Amino acid sequence: MGPLGVYVIKRTIQLVITLIVIMTIIFALLEALPAKPYQLLMQSPGLTPQQKEAMIKEMGYDKSVWQRYLIYMTNMFTFNFGRSFMTGQSVNYLLFGGYDDVTHSYVYGRLWNTLILFGLATILAYLIGYFLGAIVAWKRGSWLDSGTIVTSLIFYNMPTFWLGLIFIYIFAFELGWFPLRANAWMQYGYFSIAFVKALIMPLTVLLLVSLAGTTLLMRTSMLDVMGEEYIVTAKAKGLPEKRVLYKHAARNALLPLVTSFVIALAFTVAGGVITEQVFTYPGVGLLYITALMQLDLPIVYATLYIITLLVLIGNFVADLLYGVLDPRVRIQ
Amino acid sequence: MKSVRWDEMKRSMERAIKTNWSLFKQSKLGMVGLAIITFFIVIAIFAPVIPFTYSPTYLAPAGDLFEIDNYTKTIPTQENWHSPVSVLTPRTSYGKNSMIAGVLLYSSSGKSYFYPRDFSNTTLLRLYNPISRDIPVGMKDMMYLKENTKIIGVTNNSMYMYSVRFHRNLEDVVLDSFLKNPTVVHLPYHVQYFSNVWDYNVTVTSNTHALVAIALAGDHNVTIFMWEYLVANMGGLPYVVAPGLHFVYNFTVNSTIEANPQIRFDTANGHTWVIVPTKSAIEKYNILLKYNYTGGEEKIRYVDGISGKQLDWKYSLDSAGEQLAGSHSVSLVYAQAGQGIKKSRDVVVILCKNNYALGIFANNGTLAWNNTISLNPMDPRIHTLNVIGLHGTIREFTMIYGTTNVGSFVAKLDPSTGMVMDNRTSYLVLKGDINYVSQYDQGARSYYVSTKQGSIYEISEQFRTELMGGVRGIGLNKSFMILGGAATPAVYLGTVFPMSGQTGTYIGVVTKQNTLYLQASGGSRIPTVVIPPFGHGRYSGNFYLFGTDYEGHDIWTWLVYGARTSLLVGLTAAIISVLAGTFIGIISGFYGGWIDIVIMRTVDIILTLPGIVIMLLLAAVLGPNIWNIVLIISVLGWAGIARVIRAVTLSLKNRPFMDAARVAGASNVRMITVHIFPNVLPLTFLYMTFGVAGAILSEAALAFLGLGDPNSISWGMMLQYLRMYAQQTNPNAWGWLVMPGVFITLISLSFYLVGRAFDEIVNPRLRKR
């Protein structure tokens, strides 16, 4: 087994331990919530004491905390997320899609919804950011450079939800180009104009906000590279400027962008809460926050687990990639 | 010795500040950031004396609502106008006095004012000078609020046009339209319940005879009165034979009566039935009214008794009888069959305790449905529900209302099933407790609901769905605050027919300043009222720089006071997390070993936590409070700083001066405080500026997602209120939407810019960029 294999195994063990610790913290936090989920449901006046007892049993609250903890951990690691307390829908279907036996309809997996929107936004933000960052760094000191920096800084510090509200007000409410809520497409499916229309506004807002970060990152990275001697050499050789820019400088400045991209991709699912809430986009974030508000713990647990898992794997992959892409790290 | 060292430190500090300042000055963006920060600090400190600011609790006064003060009347302040304001409406179809309409006010001390409507101008609402009267027949001391006195309200009656009716002791008193000529009928007992609160026109014989009856009830007694004897003449217009209540029949029930009895005419077999809700059951009695024909051909018919009474059925609610509510929370309505409405929907609704509702077919008296009203599937936020009352109309729009854990609600009841109509647009959550629901306004086809805050909502029949989801409420045609609050909870709506035939519906309110406001609402073409949120401008002398929000809070004032919250949260959270991070980082780097391992693993875990998701979870656990938010931001914020500081500490540890200190016998504490800490201080300061920007954005996001401190005035909360409560958008009121976001961006940006400029000083490598 080579050194890389040992490294991968070590990191995998570390990942699993971290996952267990985080899941334990989440369990403890949700146990510490001021209200228990069955208390909310039991306020329904028509329930008999037997039904209430059955409800507590069904939710597992007749067992001790330790038993529940063990069941919870087993369920999480076997991807058996159970059913929603509130609607009775299968959480697995909600997250990954499937034919739902409660509403008798096909449910589009919230995870895929989120990955489509945020994956697209992240990829576009990094693609555009790569070129924009490279160009403005190349033309350092010009009005284009300072203009881009100021615009990027403003968008970087702008609250996403506010930008979303403004977009909704202008393009959905006043102009009526897009739907007010980005969830009506669910009855038409992914391959419909309704879905494209629902995507455009959240995508633009996400792009504007994250483009600021990627552009600045690429610009900084480019400036580092541009100080290197091989760029001077390339220029001195009389290579065309475009060739120096894209072949020699930008490609070498890509490294921090790639690792940050992998982590960003992993964090997309986590970052969705606000944007999805503003646009009512049916993704994991919206699922999480609505479930949290109504103490629908199976959904809360499942979404938190999926989000954490993705973040951890993303970090892991980013570390590996860093080693693969940068020979200087590989030696260590 | 000590003073020398102090002087030395002071000198070196001054020197450091001077050189750093001259470096800082070179960054233009940094200077801009510093200027913006200074601006925010100034407005935060001097908030109360900033121009155009009001107190943060300031609400725009009601006078600001009205563009033309023709609609306001100052009423005598010495009176205590606790009774309803009524807009009296004429019945044009019945001939005489048809054009008399106006506003009636009456007070608990027996004063009354009647402002007749000026019909000379059909487009503007004008009122003549009031006709003032004392309520006659020695009723002053007993009016309305006293024990054993029940105001029944103002009736729209074919005989009286409108009249004030109340029960006092053992008397039923009716005053005519000019509050004169009382008709007094002696009652057999203290009446507590009436067959129909709003309208006496309950037909108990077939349509051609048009006889109406009411049932009054005490604890165990039910009495049937004929309201008036009418005959239909050849022209179709009824005329009155004998006005007032005419006793017909009295019977007793065993159990205590709990709510208004309901009297209906059974079209199938010509009987009249009376539904009596009692403590343990709902009982239906079938009676046959006995007619006394006098005058044969003229078809004048009297009812002079009952030929038989039988208990048709009895619906026991449960063995304990607990599902029936107390007298105040039971409300009986009926939903008559209208044109195009199926007979099956013609249902009498009886509302019981625990949100339990019974429906009884109005044409034959059998049970239509019995079920529990629940809103949870409609809105998962609703965990507790208390249905207070319901209103029905001759159309199919039966509305229930009550309170929930998220606010009061109104919902549309399906008369064929008794459930809240099965889609999410058939209910509305309103802010504040409901204290009055109007009669159904047939002109505007809507209800008017007033809340204890002083808002009046117009709720349209359709509960329209096509309105804006995120920013605008569903089903509300319009809503407005009686800014400053309404003194009387009551609002009366009536339809006024001006000469030209156009219909106007008016809301009358007495405000806390003892001013009568009359405002045209739906169905009218009269533009009378500016609905908050206000746009920028001057309203009856008050200036709002960026307008107001929907409650009448001045946006500029809230922006200024919001700066305090933002700076407080941002600075405290940044200081706590940065100091904690620095301290932990130094310890970790300096001591190494297992301390280092434990700390770094913790840091790893915190850094992999998905930020906003965990923040929401913590906020839900800890509860919405500004200090909890600071705590949450700090708990999640220290880790990144600790990692950097640890790395710096590690490199410092191996520098020669550290060896020198160690050889000189310096203790660990001394090495940390004197040698390491001053060297990481610039970095600490740098992270603090970035931390402030991050904390401010986090606070705003938490507030926007509904987990902010509801008692704080913050920019995030302003946007949260906008998302939740903006019922209509006023294009002029852009301030509410735009300004909080601009301020959040500016303050976050300014700290970020200062941080960047500072970064260039700390890391000279960056400066050349």
Side-chain angles (χ1 to χ4, degrees):
Chain A
M1 198 183 287
L4 187 68
V6 175
Y7 176 73
V8 169
I9 290 172
K10 250 176 101 178
R11 278 303 310 264
T12 314
I13 295 170
Q14 212 174 14
L15 188 148
V16 172
I17 294 171
T18 315
L19 187 63
I20 290 174
V21 171
I22 294 178
M23 292 316 287
T24 310
I25 293 172
I26 286 169
F27 182 80
L29 281 176
L30 284 167
E31 280 297 311
L33 275 173
K36 292 270 175 274
Y38 61 83
Q39 289 169 335
L40 298 180
L41 282 170
M42 283 204 301
Q43 283 170 342
S44 182
L47 289 177
T48 62
Q50 289 83 2
Q51 283 171 319
K52 288 183 182 175
E53 221 165 84
M55 189 183 276
I56 293 178
K57 205 168 177 185
E58 187 142 307
M59 293 185 175
Y61 279 93
D62 56 334
K63 301 189 177 67
S64 73
V65 180
W66 303 112
Q67 279 172 312
R68 264 185 288 137
Y69 174 69
L70 284 179
I71 293 170
Y72 151 74
M73 280 305 214
T74 327
N75 285 347
M76 288 299 124
F77 281 103
T78 53
F79 285 82
N80 173 19
F81 298 135
R83 284 178 177 275
S84 154
F85 284 168
M86 295 293 161
T87 61
Q89 287 172 296
S90 157
V91 181
N92 285 64
Y93 287 162
L94 276 178
L95 277 175
F96 305 116
Y99 187 80
D100 180 40
D101 52 353
V102 175
T103 56
H104 294 291
S105 57
Y106 186 81
V107 178
Y108 288 92
R110 297 296 189 97
L111 185 60
W112 315 134
N113 295 351
T114 297
L115 283 179
I116 290 173
L117 171 60
F118 289 84
L120 212 56
T122 314
I123 291 169
L124 282 177
Y126 275 85
L127 259 181
I128 302 173
Y130 170 72
F131 288 107
L132 199 59
I135 291 168
V136 296
W138 199 254
K139 303 200 167 163
R140 180 157 53 99
S142 69
W143 64 266
L144 180 73
D145 182 31
S146 43
T148 312
I149 289 180
V150 171
T151 321
S152 298
L153 285 176
I154 288 171
F155 275 111
Y156 191 74
N157 286 287
M158 197 175 273
T160 324
F161 59 87
W162 176 67
L163 196 60
L165 281 181
I166 299 263
F167 264 67
I168 290 177
Y169 182 78
I170 296 175
F171 296 107
F173 185 69
E174 286 296 329
L175 299 175
W177 293 352
F178 303 107
L180 289 164
R181 287 158 179 255
N183 58 2
W185 61 269
M186 296 275 270
Q187 48 187 310
Y188 305 109
Y190 291 132
F191 301 101
S192 63
I193 295 175
F195 183 53
V196 176
K197 270 188 150 183
L199 268 183
I200 289 175
M201 271 205 307
L203 194 63
T204 315
V205 166
L206 280 172
L207 206 53
L208 282 176
V209 173
S210 40
L211 195 56
T214 54
T215 309
L216 290 179
L217 183 66
M218 183 61 193
R219 182 181 171 277
T220 315
S221 172
M222 267 296 274
L223 289 179
D224 276 338
V225 171
M226 277 160 61
E228 301 280 345
E229 279 155 6
Y230 59 84
I231 300 292
V232 183
T233 317
K235 278 189 190 165
K237 270 202 298 188
L239 289 177
E241 196 177 309
K242 269 209 172 136
R243 201 176 151 83
V244 181
L245 166 59
Y246 290 112
K247 282 254 152 144
H248 295 255
R251 195 168 283 185
N252 282 301
L254 195 57
L255 184 64
L257 211 64
V258 169
T259 45
S260 133
F261 172 69
V262 176
I263 296 176
L265 214 50
F267 267 98
T268 50
V269 181
V273 183
I274 294 171
T275 321
E276 286 175 9
Q277 172 88 347
V278 174
F279 290 103
T280 332
Y281 183 83
V284 178
L286 190 64
L287 188 67
Y288 168 73
I289 194 165
T290 24
L292 187 65
M293 295 294 182
Q294 61 193 73
L295 298 188
D296 200 341
L297 294 195
I299 296 182
V300 175
Y301 281 134
T303 44
L304 281 171
Y305 177 66
I306 292 290
I307 289 169
T308 314
L309 195 63
L310 282 174
V311 169
L312 288 177
I313 292 174
N315 275 321
F316 180 42
V317 174
D319 277 359
L320 279 186
L321 261 185
Y322 205 74
V324 173
L325 292 178
D326 192 343
R328 284 169 292 186
V329 182
R330 214 179 300 162
I331 301 160
Q332 297 163 4
Chain B
M1 180 68 191
K2 208 167 186 182
S3 71
V4 172
R5 216 166 81 192
W6 175 242
D7 281 349
E8 190 189 333
M9 262 175 75
K10 215 172 114 186
R11 261 205 310 281
S12 74
M13 284 277 272
E14 273 169 10
R15 203 168 51 237
I17 290 172
K18 219 178 248 171
T19 48
N20 285 335
W21 173 241
S22 62
L23 283 172
F24 186 88
K25 271 198 293 192
Q26 290 170 10
S27 165
K28 269 185 223 155
L29 287 178
M31 290 303 285
V32 170
L34 200 64
I36 302 172
I37 292 178
T38 318
F39 166 74
F40 279 116
I41 290 175
V42 166
I43 64 168
I45 292 172
F46 298 103
V49 293
I50 301 280
F52 309 123
T53 56
Y54 298 87
S55 143
T57 52
Y58 168 87
L59 284 171
D64 287 357
L65 281 171
F66 298 89
E67 284 176 326
I68 312 155
D69 60 5
N70 268 351
Y71 306 95
T72 69
K73 290 271 179 194
T74 305
I75 55 178
T77 48
Q78 68 271 22
E79 294 297 332
N80 188 14
W81 302 103
H82 267 298
S83 45
V85 177
S86 296
V87 180
L88 299 178
T89 63
R91 286 268 171 112
T92 47
S93 59
Y94 292 127
K96 60 179 181 180
N97 293 340
S98 63
M99 281 304 141
I100 295 175
V103 178
L104 176 70
L105 290 176
Y106 31 90
S107 78
S108 51
S109 62
K111 262 277 190 269
S112 74
Y113 276 83
F114 177 63
Y115 297 88
R117 168 86 155 85
D118 175 4
F119 285 100
S120 60
N121 187 332
T122 53
T123 55
L124 285 178
L125 180 70
R126 279 188 210 285
L127 299 175
Y128 287 120
N129 285 332
I131 302 162
S132 167
R133 282 196 209 290
D134 290 345
I135 304 280
V137 288
M139 298 292 171
K140 278 183 197 172
D141 55 339
M142 299 304 290
M143 280 296 286
Y144 309 129
L145 302 173
K146 297 288 163 69
E147 208 183 338
N148 294 332
T149 302
K150 274 190 197 304
I151 174 87
I152 298 178
V154 178
T155 60
N156 282 330
N157 185 273
S158 53
M159 158 62 191
Y160 289 108
M161 300 306 160
Y162 37 81
S163 48
V164 182
R165 181 191 185 90
F166 51 92
H167 286 176
R168 181 202 79 109
N169 279 347
L170 293 173
E171 286 170 337
D172 173 83
V173 183
V174 178
L175 302 174
D176 72 4
S177 41
F178 291 96
L179 307 173
K180 289 193 293 191
N181 305 324
T183 312
V184 180
V185 172
H186 289 276
L187 303 170
Y189 47 83
H190 286 154
V191 172
Q192 292 178 31
Y193 309 106
F194 318 95
S195 64
N196 192 317
V197 177
W198 288 108
D199 198 335
Y200 287 90
N201 294 321
V202 183
T203 310
V204 290
T205 69
S206 60
N207 292 336
T208 49
H209 304 307
L211 288 178
V212 296
I214 58 169
L216 307 182
D219 279 346
H220 292 277
N221 286 289
V222 180
T223 310
I224 312 291
F225 282 93
M226 296 311 289
W227 164 232
E228 57 199 11
Y229 294 161
L230 300 175
V231 289
N233 66 16
M234 298 306 284
L237 294 174
Y239 59 88
V240 175
V241 175
L245 292 179
H246 289 255
F247 172 77
V248 177
Y249 187 67
N250 184 36
F251 64 93
T252 58
V253 292
N254 290 331
S255 188
T256 314
I257 297 171
E258 285 271 295
N260 297 325
Q262 184 73 356
I263 188 163
R264 302 284 305 180
F265 181 60
D266 185 344
T267 46
N269 43 35
H271 288 201
T272 300
W273 47 267
V274 187
I275 289 185
V276 188
T278 72
K279 213 164 197 161
S280 59
I282 295 183
E283 299 171 12
K284 188 201 148 197
Y285 294 91
N286 204 344
I287 54 178
L288 186 61
L289 294 169
K290 216 163 74 183
Y291 299 96
N292 182 10
Y293 293 82
T294 59
E297 277 306 296
E298 291 162 282
K299 290 179 181 170
I300 297 174
R301 295 168 185 191
Y302 291 93
V303 177
D304 65 351
I306 275 174
S307 65
K309 176 211 93 177
Q310 67 180 77
L311 178 63
D312 239 26
W313 52 255
K314 185 169 171 176
Y315 185 81
S316 296
L317 287 155
D318 71 357
S319 54
E322 278 194 320
Q323 283 180 323
L324 208 60
S327 59
H328 65 284
S329 59
V330 170
S331 174
L332 271 171
V333 297
Y334 65 97
Q336 258 183 353
Q339 281 181 331
I341 308 295
K342 284 181 195 158
K343 271 279 182 236
S344 64
R345 289 185 178 175
D346 187 1
V347 176
V348 174
V349 184
I350 295 171
L351 188 63
C352 311
K353 249 184 202 161
N354 291 344
N355 308 330
Y356 194 70
L358 283 180
I360 295 156
F361 284 120
N363 56 340
N364 60 14
T366 57
L367 203 63
W369 37 258
N370 57 322
N371 50 29
T372 308
I373 292 164
S374 165
L375 282 183
N376 193 284
M378 310 290 148
D379 187 341
R381 290 177 303 162
I382 294 174
H383 308 127
T384 62
L385 181 71
N386 182 23
V387 180
I388 290 171
L390 37 70
H391 277 240
T393 69
I394 53 168
R395 296 176 60 86
E396 60 184 315
F397 182 21
T398 302
M399 191 178 79
I400 55 164
Y401 59 94
T403 57
T404 71
N405 54 319
V406 289
S408 48
F409 78 95
V410 290
K412 196 173 176 180
L413 209 61
D414 185 346
S416 60
T417 63
M419 314 286 273
V420 173
M421 286 190 168
D422 191 21
N423 70 57
R424 282 166 178 271
T425 57
S426 293
Y427 85 98
L428 285 169
V429 171
L430 311 174
K431 205 183 176 190
D433 288 345
I434 289 176
N435 58 19
Y436 184 87
V437 178
S438 79
Q439 232 179 321
Y440 182 68
D441 177 14
Q442 295 182 25
R445 291 195 175 175
S446 44
Y447 286 104
Y448 292 84
V449 174
S450 72
T451 64
K452 286 191 176 140
Q453 295 177 306
S455 292
I456 295 175
Y457 296 92
E458 179 183 348
I459 292 162
S460 69
E461 184 178 1
Q462 298 87 0
F463 273 67
R464 290 192 298 178
T465 56
E466 70 270 24
L467 291 177
M468 184 159 186
V471 179
R472 190 186 266 186
I474 295 163
L476 296 175
N477 274 348
K478 54 174 99 152
S479 76
F480 67 91
M481 294 288 291
I482 290 301
L483 300 173
T488 163
V491 184
Y492 183 86
L493 283 133
T495 315
V496 178
F497 296 93
M499 299 296 271
S500 65
Q502 58 173 273
T503 317
T505 303
Y506 297 94
I507 302 169
V509 182
V510 171
T511 69
K512 282 178 177 152
Q513 297 94 14
N514 265 12
T515 314
L516 163 70
Y517 287 112
L518 201 60
Q519 189 241 315
S521 72
S524 165
R525 280 182 246 153
I526 304 169
T528 55
V529 70
V530 190
I531 296 170
F534 293 157
H536 155 91
R538 197 171 281 284
Y539 296 81
S540 70
N542 297 310
F543 182 72
Y544 306 119
L545 189 59
F546 292 118
T548 71
D549 71 0
Y550 79 112
E551 278 188 313
H553 294 118
D554 179 37
I555 294 292
W556 170 242
T557 306
W558 274 39
L559 288 172
V560 166
Y561 281 90
R564 287 184 171 185
T565 314
S566 275
L567 285 173
L568 184 74
V569 171
L571 289 173
T572 337
I575 288 172
I576 292 175
S577 56
V578 168
L579 283 185
T582 309
F583 181 71
I584 295 170
I586 292 176
I587 298 284
S588 178
F590 186 80
Y591 287 100
W594 63 268
I595 298 180
D596 186 32
I597 293 171
V598 169
I599 289 176
M600 279 306 113
R601 285 293 83 78
T602 317
V603 165
D604 282 346
I605 288 173
I606 290 181
L607 286 181
T608 42
L609 285 177
I612 187 77
V613 173
I614 296 295
M615 242 180 229
L616 282 170
L617 185 58
L618 284 168
V621 173
L622 291 173
N625 174 309
I626 209 100
W627 297 113
N628 286 343
I629 291 167
V630 169
L631 183 72
I632 292 163
I633 296 171
S634 313
V635 163
L636 295 175
W638 64 270
I641 299 149
R643 179 179 271 182
V644 175
I645 297 292
R646 171 184 171 268
V648 175
T649 310
L650 279 179
S651 78
L652 284 174
K653 219 165 84 170
N654 299 326
R655 297 269 185 89
F657 71 87
M658 290 295 285
D659 291 337
R662 199 169 296 124
V663 170
S667 68
N668 284 347
V669 177
R670 190 181 157 80
M671 284 202 285
I672 288 173
T673 51
V674 178
H675 298 287
I676 297 179
F677 185 68
N679 278 304
V680 298
L681 200 59
L683 215 55
T684 304
F685 191 74
L686 171 66
Y687 276 98
M688 211 178 283
T689 49
F690 286 132
V692 174
I696 285 168
L697 285 177
S698 299
E699 189 269 336
L702 277 181
F704 179 75
L705 291 173
L707 289 162
D709 186 347
N711 299 320
S712 70
I713 293 175
S714 88
W715 302 328
M717 288 307 283
M718 290 169 79
L719 289 168
Q720 150 80 350
Y721 292 141
L722 174 92
R723 201 171 70 94
M724 283 182 73
Y725 298 118
Q727 309 292 1
Q728 67 284 309
T729 46
N730 174 355
N732 296 325
W734 50 267
W736 190 14
L737 172 65
V738 174
M739 290 319 288
V742 169
F743 270 44
I744 295 171
T745 312
L746 274 181
I747 200 166
S748 167
L749 180 70
S750 61
F751 277 101
Y752 194 84
L753 289 178
V754 168
R756 254 173 81 90
F758 202 69
D759 205 358
E760 288 173 9
I761 299 171
V762 179
N763 305 318
R765 205 168 54 90
L766 299 173
R767 218 172 299 160
K768 59 179 186 280
R769 292 175 187 168

